Amino acid sequence: MKFIDGVIAKAKQGYKTIVLPEGEDIRVLEAAYIATKEKVAKIIILGDEAEIKKNFAEHNWSLEGIQIINPLTSAKATEYAKLFYELRKEKGVSEEDAAKTVQNANYFGTLMIKAGDCDGMVSGAAHSTADTVRPALQVVKSARKDMAVSAFFFMSKDDKTFIFADSGLTPNPDEKGLADIAMQSAQTAMQFGITPDVAMLSYSTYGSAKGELVEKVQNATKLAKELAKGEFAYLGVKVDGELQADAALIDSVAKSKAPGSEVAGHAEVLIFPDLNAGNIAYKLVQRLGGYEAYGPILQGLGGPINDLSRGCSPQDIVGAIAITAVQAMK
């Protein structure tokens, strides 16, 4: 918990405004109460005001400092509908379609970010990942047109925290996609106090195995190194690959398999070749290694929007609120 405690402490310094579009979920309401009480962020809840107030009263939770907005009755609905229409009319969205869309809480919350009325959004306790990500990609969009959005997990235990990417969104990134994910993850690492030593993972280390999958990571590593020395030189990123996981993480193995590497043996940002590898790895490390998994966290968006596991606890949601708030601290 040391990692998330540090994130919460940093979030308190920025005190950003985070919208929670799932006011019908009691876990979200409890998290809103905790986050407000602990001053992690200023909270806006979307949903039926009478029902939310009833649930707060039944649990003796204070609503002080929390704003409630009903997308169905909000005075902002017309403004947001116009905004959504302008963003999506070239995709065939009509003004009538836009008016209906903003009644959806996830779209309403995302449009709040686009309009500058809040700093970030956390959803997914009662919705699928697609329900959270689709509005984000349509409204907030990627921060850069030449880079796709990706997802990662913070994997934390004791004093050690790693970034696993992409382990939650992109099924099979190409070589450029992997290089972009590496740079996005390095930026995230810097933002959260993690050393941006990036390992491009494979089942091969420095050509110890052959094949198309190895070549993909080798070529992605070259592209990532070019980015690290060029556009992203200000980050001080170190990138190496292709590396097997043990070479990336264990110093004694690194000395044997990748002597002279600046990254091998102590990498803290792990870039997986595809979603299969990344998702399987984080679950194994979580379940067998006893690491806390925080995510999937989206990166590369024009504004911070994050997804929750549908099995999340109120404290998990508070952690996601804090992470989102820190992402909003440019």
Side-chain angles (χ1 to χ4, degrees), residues 39-108:
K39 292 183 169 42
V40 177
K42 179 177 174 54
I43 299 297
I44 299 172
I45 304 173
L46 302 185
D48 183 90
E49 185 172 1
E51 191 64 26
I52 291 169
K53 286 183 174 180
K54 176 185 173 185
N55 281 319
F56 266 76
E58 287 177 352
H59 291 84
N60 199 29
W61 297 331
S62 172
L63 266 168
E64 185 177 354
I66 297 175
Q67 184 179 0
I68 302 171
I69 298 175
N70 187 341
L72 301 180
T73 59
S74 171
K76 286 276 191 176
T78 300
E79 175 188 331
Y80 293 161
K82 289 180 180 178
L83 175 57
F84 186 70
Y85 170 70
E86 291 298 325
L87 289 169
R88 301 294 294 173
K89 62 183 179 182
E90 292 182 1
K91 298 293 183 179
V93 172
S94 67
E95 292 181 347
E96 185 178 329
D97 293 332
K100 291 179 181 178
T101 299
V102 298
Q103 294 179 3
N104 177 291
N106 278 328
Y107 274 97
F108 191 95

Coordinates of all heavy atoms in Angstrom, one line a residue, residues 39-108:
K39 N -10.0 14.5 1.4 CA -9.5 15.6 0.5 C -8.6 15.1 -0.6 O -7.6 15.7 -0.9 CB -8.9 16.7 1.3 CG -9.9 17.4 2.2 CD -9.2 18.6 3.0 CE -10.2 19.5 3.7 NZ -11.3 18.9 4.3
V40 N -8.9 13.9 -1.1 CA -8.1 13.4 -2.2 C -8.4 14.1 -3.5 O -7.5 14.4 -4.3 CB -8.4 11.9 -2.5 CG1 -7.6 11.3 -3.7 CG2 -8.1 11.1 -1.2
A41 N -9.6 14.5 -3.7 CA -10.1 15.2 -4.9 C -11.4 15.8 -4.6 O -12.1 15.4 -3.7 CB -10.1 14.3 -6.1
K42 N -11.8 16.8 -5.4 CA -13.2 17.3 -5.4 C -14.0 16.4 -6.2 O -13.7 16.1 -7.4 CB -13.2 18.7 -5.9 CG -14.7 19.3 -5.9 CD -14.6 20.8 -6.3 CE -16.1 21.3 -6.5 NZ -16.9 21.1 -5.3
I43 N -15.1 15.9 -5.7 CA -15.9 14.8 -6.4 C -17.2 15.3 -6.9 O -18.0 16.1 -6.3 CB -16.2 13.6 -5.4 CG1 -14.8 13.0 -5.0 CG2 -17.0 12.6 -6.1 CD1 -14.0 12.4 -6.1
I44 N -17.5 14.9 -8.2 CA -18.8 15.1 -8.8 C -19.4 13.8 -9.1 O -18.8 12.9 -9.7 CB -18.8 15.9 -10.1 CG1 -18.2 17.3 -9.8 CG2 -20.1 16.1 -10.8 CD1 -17.9 18.1 -11.1
I45 N -20.6 13.5 -8.6 CA -21.3 12.2 -8.9 C -22.4 12.5 -9.9 O -23.2 13.4 -9.7 CB -21.9 11.6 -7.6 CG1 -20.8 11.4 -6.5 CG2 -22.6 10.3 -7.9 CD1 -21.4 11.0 -5.2
L46 N -22.5 11.6 -10.9 CA -23.6 11.7 -11.8 C -24.7 10.6 -11.5 O -24.4 9.5 -11.2 CB -23.1 11.4 -13.3 CG -22.0 12.4 -13.8 CD1 -21.7 12.1 -15.2 CD2 -22.4 13.8 -13.6
G47 N -25.9 11.1 -11.5 CA -27.0 10.1 -11.3 C -28.3 10.8 -10.7 O -28.3 12.1 -10.7
D48 N -29.2 10.1 -10.2 CA -30.4 10.6 -9.7 C -30.2 11.2 -8.3 O -29.7 10.5 -7.4 CB -31.5 9.4 -9.6 CG -32.8 9.9 -9.1 OD1 -33.6 10.3 -9.9 OD2 -33.0 9.9 -7.8
E49 N -30.4 12.5 -8.2 CA -30.0 13.2 -6.9 C -30.8 12.6 -5.7 O -30.2 12.4 -4.7 CB -30.3 14.7 -7.1 CG -29.9 15.5 -5.9 CD -30.0 17.0 -6.1 OE1 -30.5 17.4 -7.2 OE2 -29.6 17.8 -5.2
A50 N -32.1 12.4 -5.9 CA -32.9 11.9 -4.7 C -32.4 10.5 -4.3 O -32.2 10.3 -3.0 CB -34.3 11.8 -5.1
E51 N -32.1 9.6 -5.2 CA -31.6 8.3 -4.8 C -30.2 8.3 -4.2 O -29.9 7.6 -3.2 CB -31.6 7.4 -6.1 CG -31.4 5.9 -5.9 CD -32.5 5.3 -5.1 OE1 -33.6 5.8 -5.2 OE2 -32.2 4.3 -4.4
I52 N -29.3 9.2 -4.7 CA -28.0 9.3 -4.2 C -28.1 9.9 -2.7 O -27.4 9.4 -1.8 CB -27.1 10.2 -5.1 CG1 -26.8 9.5 -6.4 CG2 -25.8 10.6 -4.4 CD1 -26.2 10.4 -7.5
K53 N -28.9 10.9 -2.5 CA -29.0 11.5 -1.2 C -29.6 10.4 -0.2 O -29.2 10.4 0.9 CB -29.9 12.7 -1.3 CG -29.2 13.9 -1.9 CD -30.1 15.1 -1.9 CE -29.4 16.4 -2.3 NZ -30.3 17.6 -2.3
K54 N -30.5 9.6 -0.7 CA -31.1 8.6 0.1 C -30.1 7.6 0.6 O -30.0 7.2 1.8 CB -32.2 7.9 -0.6 CG -32.8 6.7 0.1 CD -33.8 6.0 -0.8 CE -34.3 4.7 -0.1 NZ -35.2 3.9 -1.1
N55 N -29.2 7.1 -0.4 CA -28.2 6.2 0.0 C -27.1 6.8 0.9 O -26.7 6.1 1.9 CB -27.5 5.7 -1.3 CG -28.3 4.6 -2.0 OD1 -28.8 3.8 -1.4 ND2 -28.3 4.8 -3.4
F56 N -26.8 8.0 0.8 CA -25.8 8.7 1.7 C -26.4 8.8 3.1 O -25.8 8.5 4.1 CB -25.5 10.1 1.2 CG -24.2 10.1 0.3 CD1 -24.2 9.6 -1.0 CD2 -23.0 10.6 0.8 CE1 -23.1 9.6 -1.8 CE2 -21.9 10.6 0.1 CZ -21.9 10.1 -1.2
A57 N -27.7 9.1 3.2 CA -28.4 9.2 4.5 C -28.4 7.9 5.2 O -28.2 7.8 6.4 CB -29.8 9.8 4.3
E58 N -28.8 6.8 4.4 CA -28.9 5.5 5.0 C -27.6 5.0 5.6 O -27.6 4.2 6.6 CB -29.4 4.5 4.0 CG -30.9 4.7 3.6 CD -31.3 3.7 2.5 OE1 -30.4 3.0 1.9 OE2 -32.5 3.7 2.2
H59 N -26.5 5.5 5.0 CA -25.1 5.0 5.5 C -24.5 6.1 6.4 O -23.3 5.9 6.8 CB -24.2 4.7 4.3 CG -24.6 3.5 3.6 ND1 -25.6 3.5 2.6 CD2 -24.2 2.2 3.7 CE1 -25.7 2.2 2.1 NE2 -24.9 1.4 2.8
N60 N -25.2 7.2 6.7 CA -24.7 8.2 7.5 C -23.4 8.8 7.0 O -22.5 9.1 7.7 CB -24.4 7.7 9.0 CG -24.4 8.8 10.0 OD1 -25.0 9.9 9.8 ND2 -23.6 8.6 11.0
W61 N -23.3 9.0 5.6 CA -22.2 9.6 5.0 C -22.6 11.0 4.7 O -23.7 11.4 4.2 CB -21.9 8.9 3.6 CG -21.5 7.5 3.8 CD1 -20.8 6.9 4.8 CD2 -21.7 6.4 2.8 NE1 -20.6 5.5 4.6 CE2 -21.1 5.3 3.3 CE3 -22.2 6.4 1.5 CZ2 -21.1 4.0 2.6 CZ3 -22.2 5.2 0.8 CH2 -21.7 4.1 1.3
S62 N -21.6 11.9 4.9 CA -21.8 13.3 4.6 C -21.7 13.6 3.1 O -20.8 13.1 2.5 CB -20.8 14.2 5.4 OG -20.9 15.5 5.0
L63 N -22.6 14.5 2.6 CA -22.5 14.9 1.2 C -21.8 16.2 1.1 O -21.7 16.8 0.0 CB -23.9 15.0 0.7 CG -24.4 13.8 -0.1 CD1 -25.9 14.0 -0.4 CD2 -23.7 13.6 -1.4
E64 N -21.3 16.8 2.2 CA -20.7 18.1 2.2 C -19.5 18.0 1.2 O -18.6 17.2 1.3 CB -20.2 18.5 3.6 CG -19.6 19.9 3.6 CD -19.2 20.3 5.0 OE1 -19.5 19.5 6.0 OE2 -18.6 21.4 5.2
G65 N -19.4 19.0 0.3 CA -18.3 19.1 -0.6 C -18.5 18.3 -1.9 O -17.7 18.4 -2.8
I66 N -19.5 17.5 -2.0 CA -19.8 16.6 -3.2 C -20.9 17.3 -4.0 O -22.0 17.7 -3.5 CB -20.2 15.2 -2.7 CG1 -19.1 14.5 -2.0 CG2 -20.6 14.4 -4.0 CD1 -19.4 13.2 -1.4
Q67 N -20.7 17.3 -5.3 CA -21.7 17.9 -6.2 C -22.4 16.7 -6.9 O -21.7 15.7 -7.3 CB -21.0 18.8 -7.2 CG -22.0 19.4 -8.2 CD -21.3 20.3 -9.2 OE1 -20.1 20.5 -9.2 NE2 -22.1 21.0 -10.1
I68 N -23.7 16.8 -7.0 CA -24.5 15.8 -7.7 C -25.1 16.4 -9.0 O -25.7 17.5 -8.9 CB -25.6 15.2 -6.8 CG1 -25.0 14.6 -5.6 CG2 -26.4 14.1 -7.6 CD1 -26.1 14.2 -4.5
I69 N -24.9 15.7 -10.1 CA -25.5 16.2 -11.4 C -26.3 15.1 -12.0 O -25.8 13.9 -12.1 CB -24.5 16.7 -12.3 CG1 -23.7 17.9 -11.7 CG2 -25.1 17.1 -13.7 CD1 -22.5 18.4 -12.6
N70 N -27.5 15.3 -12.4 CA -28.3 14.3 -13.2 C -28.2 14.7 -14.7 O -28.7 15.7 -15.1 CB -29.8 14.4 -12.7 CG -30.6 13.2 -13.3 OD1 -30.2 12.7 -14.3 ND2 -31.7 12.9 -12.7
P71 N -27.6 13.8 -15.5 CA -27.4 14.1 -16.9 C -28.8 14.3 -17.6 O -28.9 15.0 -18.6 CB -26.7 12.9 -17.5 CG -26.0 12.4 -16.3 CD -26.8 12.6 -15.1
L72 N -29.8 13.7 -17.0 CA -31.2 13.8 -17.7 C -31.8 15.2 -17.5 O -32.7 15.6 -18.3 CB -32.1 12.7 -17.1 CG -31.6 11.3 -17.3 CD1 -32.6 10.3 -16.7 CD2 -31.4 11.0 -18.8
T73 N -31.4 15.9 -16.4 CA -32.1 17.2 -16.1 C -31.1 18.3 -16.1 O -31.5 19.5 -15.8 CB -32.8 17.1 -14.8 OG1 -31.8 16.7 -13.7 CG2 -33.9 16.0 -14.8
S74 N -29.8 18.1 -16.3 CA -28.8 19.1 -16.2 C -29.0 20.3 -17.2 O -29.3 20.0 -18.4 CB -27.4 18.6 -16.4 OG -26.4 19.6 -16.5
A75 N -28.8 21.5 -16.8 CA -28.8 22.6 -17.7 C -27.7 22.6 -18.7 O -27.7 23.3 -19.7 CB -28.8 23.9 -16.8
K76 N -26.7 21.8 -18.4 CA -25.5 21.7 -19.3 C -25.7 20.8 -20.4 O -24.9 20.7 -21.4 CB -24.3 21.3 -18.5 CG -23.7 22.3 -17.5 CD -22.7 23.2 -18.3 CE -21.9 24.0 -17.4 NZ -20.9 24.8 -18.1
A77 N -26.8 20.0 -20.4 CA -27.0 19.0 -21.4 C -27.1 19.6 -22.8 O -26.5 19.0 -23.7 CB -28.3 18.2 -21.1
T78 N -27.7 20.7 -23.0 CA -27.8 21.3 -24.3 C -26.4 21.7 -24.8 O -26.1 21.5 -26.0 CB -28.7 22.5 -24.3 OG1 -30.0 22.1 -23.9 CG2 -28.8 23.2 -25.7
E79 N -25.6 22.3 -23.9 CA -24.3 22.7 -24.3 C -23.4 21.5 -24.7 O -22.7 21.6 -25.7 CB -23.6 23.5 -23.1 CG -22.2 23.8 -23.3 CD -21.5 24.4 -22.1 OE1 -22.2 24.9 -21.2 OE2 -20.3 24.2 -21.9
Y80 N -23.5 20.4 -23.9 CA -22.7 19.3 -24.2 C -23.2 18.6 -25.5 O -22.4 18.0 -26.2 CB -22.8 18.3 -23.0 CG -22.1 18.8 -21.7 CD1 -22.4 18.2 -20.5 CD2 -21.2 19.8 -21.8 CE1 -21.8 18.7 -19.3 CE2 -20.6 20.3 -20.6 CZ -20.9 19.7 -19.4 OH -20.3 20.1 -18.3
A81 N -24.5 18.6 -25.7 CA -25.0 18.0 -26.9 C -24.4 18.7 -28.2 O -24.1 18.1 -29.2 CB -26.5 18.0 -27.0
K82 N -24.4 20.0 -28.1 CA -23.8 20.8 -29.2 C -22.3 20.5 -29.4 O -21.8 20.4 -30.5 CB -24.0 22.3 -28.9 CG -25.4 22.8 -29.1 CD -25.5 24.3 -28.8 CE -27.0 24.8 -28.9 NZ -27.1 26.2 -28.6
L83 N -21.6 20.3 -28.3 CA -20.2 20.0 -28.3 C -20.0 18.6 -29.0 O -19.2 18.5 -29.8 CB -19.6 20.0 -26.9 CG -18.2 19.6 -26.7 CD1 -17.2 20.4 -27.6 CD2 -17.8 19.7 -25.2
F84 N -20.8 17.7 -28.5 CA -20.7 16.3 -29.1 C -21.0 16.3 -30.6 O -20.3 15.6 -31.4 CB -21.6 15.3 -28.3 CG -21.4 13.9 -28.7 CD1 -20.2 13.2 -28.4 CD2 -22.4 13.2 -29.4 CE1 -20.0 11.9 -28.8 CE2 -22.2 11.9 -29.8 CZ -21.0 11.2 -29.5
Y85 N -22.0 17.0 -30.9 CA -22.4 17.1 -32.4 C -21.3 17.7 -33.2 O -20.9 17.1 -34.3 CB -23.7 18.0 -32.5 CG -24.0 18.3 -34.0 CD1 -24.4 17.3 -34.8 CD2 -23.8 19.6 -34.5 CE1 -24.7 17.6 -36.2 CE2 -24.1 19.9 -35.8 CZ -24.5 18.9 -36.6 OH -24.8 19.2 -38.0
E86 N -20.6 18.7 -32.7 CA -19.5 19.3 -33.5 C -18.3 18.3 -33.6 O -17.7 18.3 -34.6 CB -19.1 20.6 -32.8 CG -20.1 21.7 -32.9 CD -20.3 22.1 -34.4 OE1 -19.4 22.1 -35.2 OE2 -21.5 22.5 -34.7
L87 N -18.1 17.6 -32.5 CA -17.0 16.6 -32.5 C -17.3 15.4 -33.4 O -16.3 14.8 -34.0 CB -16.8 16.1 -31.1 CG -16.2 17.0 -30.1 CD1 -16.3 16.5 -28.7 CD2 -14.7 17.3 -30.4
R88 N -18.6 15.0 -33.6 CA -18.9 13.8 -34.3 C -19.7 13.9 -35.5 O -20.1 12.9 -36.1 CB -19.6 12.8 -33.3 CG -18.8 12.5 -32.0 CD -17.6 11.7 -32.3 NE -17.9 10.4 -32.8 CZ -17.0 9.5 -33.2 NH1 -15.7 9.9 -33.3 NH2 -17.3 8.3 -33.7
K89 N -20.1 15.1 -36.0 CA -21.0 15.3 -37.1 C -20.4 14.7 -38.4 O -21.1 14.2 -39.3 CB -21.3 16.7 -37.3 CG -20.2 17.7 -37.6 CD -20.7 19.1 -37.7 CE -19.6 20.1 -38.0 NZ -20.0 21.5 -38.1
E90 N -19.0 14.7 -38.5 CA -18.4 14.2 -39.7 C -18.5 12.6 -39.7 O -18.2 12.0 -40.7 CB -16.9 14.6 -39.8 CG -16.8 16.1 -40.1 CD -15.4 16.5 -40.2 OE1 -14.5 15.7 -40.1 OE2 -15.1 17.7 -40.4
K91 N -18.8 12.1 -38.5 CA -19.0 10.6 -38.4 C -20.4 10.2 -38.6 O -20.8 9.1 -38.4 CB -18.5 10.1 -37.1 CG -17.0 10.4 -36.8 CD -16.1 9.5 -37.8 CE -14.6 9.7 -37.4 NZ -13.8 8.9 -38.3
G92 N -21.3 11.2 -39.0 CA -22.7 10.9 -39.2 C -23.6 11.1 -38.0 O -24.8 10.7 -38.1
V93 N -23.1 11.7 -36.9 CA -24.0 11.9 -35.8 C -24.8 13.2 -36.0 O -24.3 14.2 -36.4 CB -23.1 12.1 -34.5 CG1 -24.0 12.6 -33.3 CG2 -22.4 10.8 -34.2
S94 N -26.1 13.0 -35.8 CA -27.1 14.1 -36.0 C -27.2 14.9 -34.7 O -26.8 14.4 -33.6 CB -28.4 13.6 -36.4 OG -29.0 12.8 -35.4
E95 N -27.9 16.0 -34.7 CA -28.1 16.8 -33.5 C -29.0 16.0 -32.6 O -28.9 16.1 -31.3 CB -28.7 18.1 -33.8 CG -27.8 19.1 -34.6 CD -28.4 20.4 -34.9 OE1 -29.6 20.6 -34.7 OE2 -27.6 21.4 -35.2
E96 N -30.0 15.3 -33.1 CA -30.9 14.4 -32.3 C -30.1 13.3 -31.7 O -30.3 13.0 -30.5 CB -32.0 13.8 -33.2 CG -33.0 13.1 -32.5 CD -34.1 12.6 -33.4 OE1 -34.4 13.2 -34.4 OE2 -34.7 11.5 -33.1
D97 N -29.2 12.7 -32.4 CA -28.3 11.6 -31.8 C -27.5 12.2 -30.7 O -27.4 11.5 -29.6 CB -27.4 11.1 -32.9 CG -28.1 10.3 -34.0 OD1 -29.2 9.8 -33.8 OD2 -27.5 10.3 -35.1
A98 N -27.0 13.4 -30.9 CA -26.1 14.0 -29.8 C -26.9 14.2 -28.6 O -26.4 14.0 -27.5 CB -25.5 15.3 -30.4
A99 N -28.2 14.7 -28.7 CA -29.0 15.0 -27.6 C -29.3 13.7 -26.8 O -29.3 13.8 -25.5 CB -30.3 15.6 -28.0
K100 N -29.5 12.6 -27.5 CA -29.7 11.3 -26.8 C -28.4 10.8 -26.1 O -28.4 10.3 -25.0 CB -30.2 10.3 -27.8 CG -31.6 10.6 -28.3 CD -32.1 9.5 -29.3 CE -33.5 9.8 -29.8 NZ -33.8 8.8 -30.8
T101 N -27.3 11.0 -26.8 CA -26.0 10.5 -26.3 C -25.6 11.1 -25.0 O -25.1 10.4 -24.1 CB -24.9 10.7 -27.4 OG1 -25.2 10.0 -28.6 CG2 -23.6 10.2 -26.9
V102 N -25.8 12.4 -24.8 CA -25.4 13.1 -23.6 C -26.2 12.6 -22.4 O -25.8 12.9 -21.2 CB -25.4 14.6 -23.7 CG1 -24.5 15.1 -24.8 CG2 -26.8 15.1 -23.9
Q103 N -27.3 11.9 -22.6 CA -28.0 11.4 -21.4 C -27.3 10.2 -20.8 O -27.6 9.8 -19.7 CB -29.4 11.0 -21.9 CG -30.3 12.1 -22.3 CD -31.7 11.7 -22.8 OE1 -32.0 10.5 -22.7 NE2 -32.5 12.7 -23.2
N104 N -26.4 9.6 -21.6 CA -25.5 8.5 -21.1 C -24.5 9.1 -20.1 O -23.7 10.0 -20.5 CB -24.9 7.8 -22.2 CG -23.9 6.7 -21.8 OD1 -22.9 7.0 -21.2 ND2 -24.3 5.5 -22.0
A105 N -24.4 8.6 -18.9 CA -23.5 9.2 -17.9 C -22.1 9.2 -18.3 O -21.3 10.2 -18.0 CB -23.8 8.5 -16.6
N106 N -21.6 8.1 -18.9 CA -20.2 8.1 -19.3 C -19.9 9.1 -20.4 O -18.8 9.8 -20.3 CB -19.8 6.7 -19.8 CG -19.6 5.7 -18.7 OD1 -19.0 6.1 -17.7 ND2 -19.9 4.5 -18.9
Y107 N -20.8 9.3 -21.3 CA -20.6 10.4 -22.3 C -20.7 11.8 -21.7 O -19.9 12.7 -22.0 CB -21.6 10.3 -23.4 CG -21.2 9.3 -24.5 CD1 -21.6 8.0 -24.5 CD2 -20.3 9.7 -25.6 CE1 -21.2 7.1 -25.5 CE2 -19.9 8.9 -26.6 CZ -20.4 7.6 -26.5 OH -20.0 6.7 -27.5
F108 N -21.6 11.9 -20.8 CA -21.8 13.2 -20.1 C -20.5 13.6 -19.3 O -20.0 14.7 -19.4 CB -23.0 13.2 -19.1 CG -23.4 14.5 -18.6 CD1 -24.5 15.2 -19.2 CD2 -22.8 15.0 -17.4 CE1 -24.9 16.4 -18.7 CE2 -23.2 16.2 -16.9 CZ -24.2 16.9 -17.5

